[in-house]
Amino acid sequence: MLNKKHLALLVSAGSITLAGMTTAQADTLEDTRDNGAVRCGVSDGLPGFSAPDDDGNWQGLDVDVCRAVAAAVLGDADAVDYISLNAVERFTALQSGEVDVLSRNTTWTTTRDTTLGLNFTGVTFYDGQGFMVSRDLGITGADELNGASICIQSGTTTELNLADYFRANDMEFNPIVFDTSEQTVGGYQAGRCDVLTSDTSQLAALRIQLDNPEGSMILSDVISKEPLGPVVRQGDDTWFNIVKWSLFAMINAEEYGVTSENVDEMTSSEDPNVARLLGQDGNYGEGMGLEADWAYNIISQVGNYAESFDRNVGMGSPLEIERGVNALWTDGGFQYAPPIR
């Protein structure tokens, strides 16, 4: 029988496939507690989602998912080891056990969900692919991009979407491919391409890194669906549930009006939804091997979904992205979490 170390070596060497594997690969919860930290795969630096600040502290919407899991499992949102991964290496790092969870602006697709031995646990940000161009070009729509040179990052769904869009609209383009988002925006700024394409949220993050952000604009056209969310290995249902419900706790907290500032006061709430969420009425973490205060720890240390969204990518951040479809279902958006009961 293969142990975890041997399995990781075989996967990284390409000796086996994980497709269809159903037996548990590891007790990730036990390993995380033994390690004293959640090993979280993040991007190679995308402001608003996962990037280190000037002091080297990782910040972002994706980072907050890692912190939420650490708060739920270890009672300490800061107990996270961040592993920076580019788009090409991210899935191998998760498959091999280098990281416990991948929280790195990653699109949920059929292929990724069914052939890599991985599970997506939810959607942290509903996105779509767009285009950024220099204002000097005078371009107002994607239908004007025939023949354009387009900077793009390799190993992403962006490449496939771009080819589909141009083929469907009987247009041609010249792809300029880079390995990292930093290289991609560098190529755009250096004039190696006319257009930079990526998820619109990533374009907003890359735009503020330009020497002259106001000189570029993001077109209104959106050519794909890009539901972004955290990913775990298949075969460990307990860990899958922990990561999934850590996100759901943040979304439910926003719906019930529970914030990092009022969470202590809300522990005495007579609303049964709030009482269950905060562990005052039953232990809804027990089925995941967690204490009754798992969600309280998330909200008190990380905040609810709205707090995370606003400070990282929303109007309280340099990106100033509106909630849009990422608003709660009660506000006309897509964000909807199953009930805790």
Side-chain angles (χ1 to χ4, degrees), residues 45-73:
L46 183 62
F49 290 86
S50 53
D53 61 18
D54 293 338
D55 296 323
N57 298 313
W58 283 86
Q59 308 285 339
L61 189 68
D62 290 334
V63 168
D64 279 351
V65 172
C66 307
R67 299 182 68 241
V69 173
V73 172

Side-chain angles (χ1 to χ4, degrees), residues 23 45 50 53 63 68 72 111 140 192 212 217 219 227 236 242 245 247 251 254 257 260 263 278 305 310 312:
T23 56
S50 53
D53 61 18
V63 168
T111 301
T140 59
R192 293 188 59 185
N212 177 26
M217 61 181 290
L219 301 179
D236 190 337
I242 287 172
W245 282 96
L247 172 60
I251 296 173
E254 179 186 359
S260 59
V263 64
L278 300 181
Y305 180 80
D310 184 63
N312 290 308

Side-chain angles (χ1 to χ4, degrees), residues 308-327:
S308 178
F309 188 100
D310 184 63
R311 69 171 171 260
N312 290 308
V313 300
M315 303 312 290
S317 77
L319 273 63
E320 296 186 340
I321 297 175
E322 296 183 358
R323 284 291 292 267
V325 295
N326 287 289

Side-chain angles (χ1 to χ4, degrees), residues 17-220:
T17 176
L18 290 179
M21 180 175 287
T22 58
T23 56
Q25 302 165 3
D27 187 340
T28 313
L29 174 58
E30 180 181 347
D31 289 348
T32 298
R33 285 174 169 157
D34 289 343
N35 295 333
V38 175
R39 296 175 303 173
C40 188
V42 291
S43 74
D44 43 6
L46 183 62
F49 290 86
S50 53
D53 61 18
D54 293 338
D55 296 323
N57 298 313
W58 283 86
Q59 308 285 339
L61 189 68
D62 290 334
V63 168
D64 279 351
V65 172
C66 307
R67 299 182 68 241
V69 173
V73 172
L74 302 170
D76 181 3
D78 294 329
V80 182
D81 291 335
Y82 297 100
I83 294 90
S84 179
L85 303 168
N86 64 35
V88 174
E89 63 194 8
R90 55 184 162 174
F91 296 122
T92 302
L94 181 59
Q95 291 168 333
S96 67
E98 180 182 350
V99 297
D100 304 316
V101 57
L102 180 68
S103 186
R104 187 209 170 282
N105 58 297
T106 298
T107 301
W108 190 346
T109 69
T110 308
T111 301
R112 292 172 175 178
D113 202 26
T114 63
T115 67
L116 300 181
L118 306 177
N119 278 328
F120 283 77
T121 64
V123 178
T124 52
F125 192 94
Y126 290 93
D127 210 344
Q129 185 172 332
F131 301 94
M132 181 166 66
V133 300
S134 169
R135 293 184 185 274
D136 292 340
L137 295 178
I139 294 174
T140 59
D143 57 353
E144 302 173 42
L145 297 179
N146 189 27
S149 295
I150 301 180
C151 284
I152 189 170
Q153 186 177 352
S154 63
T156 64
T157 57
T158 311
E159 291 181 285
L160 303 177
N161 296 333
L162 187 65
D164 287 347
Y165 177 79
F166 274 77
R167 183 172 60 250
N169 288 278
D170 196 24
M171 299 193 301
E172 296 182 354
F173 70 99
N174 177 31
I176 311 296
V177 183
F178 299 90
D179 290 332
T180 69
S181 59
E182 183 179 6
Q183 293 171 352
T184 306
V185 72
Y188 172 78
Q189 182 156 264
R192 293 188 59 185
C193 56
D194 307 309
V195 184
L196 192 158
T197 186
S198 186
D199 298 345
T200 57
S201 63
Q202 185 165 0
L203 292 178
L206 296 177
R207 179 175 172 271
I208 65 174
Q209 299 181 56
L210 298 174
D211 293 338
N212 177 26
E214 296 302 319
S216 292
M217 61 181 290
I218 299 173
L219 301 179
S220 60

Side-chain angles (χ1 to χ4, degrees), residues 244-300:
K244 175 172 56 179
W245 282 96
S246 293
L247 172 60
F248 288 163
M250 295 176 69
I251 296 173
N252 275 322
E254 179 186 359
E255 181 177 344
Y256 302 149
V258 184
T259 70
S260 59
E261 294 184 356
N262 70 11
V263 64
D264 287 323
E265 175 186 346
M266 294 293 275
T267 56
S268 59
S269 171
E270 295 183 1
D271 184 336
N273 292 306
V274 174
R276 288 191 293 267
L277 174 69
L278 300 181
Q280 302 301 303
D281 179 9
N283 180 2
Y284 292 89
E286 185 175 12
M288 299 180 284
L290 304 179
E291 300 295 328
D293 62 355
W294 65 280
Y296 168 87
N297 288 334
I298 293 174
I299 300 159
S300 62

